[in-house]
Amino acid sequence: MSTDTLLWMVDGKPQYGMDVRFGDENNPTRKGKFDIYMKMEHCISTIYHTSMPDAMFFSGGEAVHFSIDFATYGYAHRSHGCVNVRDRAAVARLFADTRVGDTVVVY
């Protein structure tokens, strides 16, 4: 079952959540446990040449980030593997709250 939700946890306690979308069968989001290895507030994808504000990279080129496409079209589209957030304020808050080394679990 998919909930399309990101939940920010601290010491096992939920702090807040937000709607997200993931990749599709052609560009799946990797499942597993990862660490954030890089954060970029103003990021442009080198592959897709699209804006990825507040990107928190956790696996290869995959990142949690704001997506104007998701904000505009919702679940009509999917990501290319990233975890897209449609609420700009929510992802900005998450970006401020996270640190390099924080754990990301995708399941």
Side-chain angles (χ1 to χ4, degrees), residues 48-98:
Y48 302 106
H49 310 289
T50 57
S51 181
M52 299 169 52
D54 294 330
M56 296 157 272
F57 290 89
F58 62 87
S59 178
E62 292 183 4
V64 175
H65 65 85
F66 174 73
S67 167
I68 190 65
D69 184 82
F70 185 30
T72 303
Y73 302 107
Y75 294 102
H77 302 153
R78 302 306 283 179
S79 80
H80 290 102
C82 285
V83 178
N84 293 166
V85 180
R86 66 172 151 198
D87 182 328
R88 185 72 178 97
V91 77
R93 179 180 180 193
L94 182 67
F95 187 85
D97 287 345
T98 59

Side-chain angles (χ1 to χ4, degrees), residues 20-73:
V20 294
R21 72 176 182 184
F22 300 94
D24 60 20
E25 61 278 349
N26 296 318
N27 297 291
T29 305
R30 293 178 197 94
K31 291 184 170 81
K33 185 176 177 183
F34 311 95
D35 291 331
I36 294 174
Y37 65 86
M38 180 173 57
K39 293 173 58 176
M40 294 180 70
E41 188 174 2
H42 306 287
C43 181
I44 302 292
S45 167
T46 57
I47 298 171
Y48 302 106
H49 310 289
T50 57
S51 181
M52 299 169 52
D54 294 330
M56 296 157 272
F57 290 89
F58 62 87
S59 178
E62 292 183 4
V64 175
H65 65 85
F66 174 73
S67 167
I68 190 65
D69 184 82
F70 185 30
T72 303
Y73 302 107

Side-chain angles (χ1 to χ4, degrees), residues 9-28:
M9 309 272 292
V10 175
D11 296 328
K13 296 182 177 113
Q15 304 300 303
Y16 53 86
M18 61 197 73
D19 294 338
V20 294
R21 72 176 182 184
F22 300 94
D24 60 20
E25 61 278 349
N26 296 318
N27 297 291

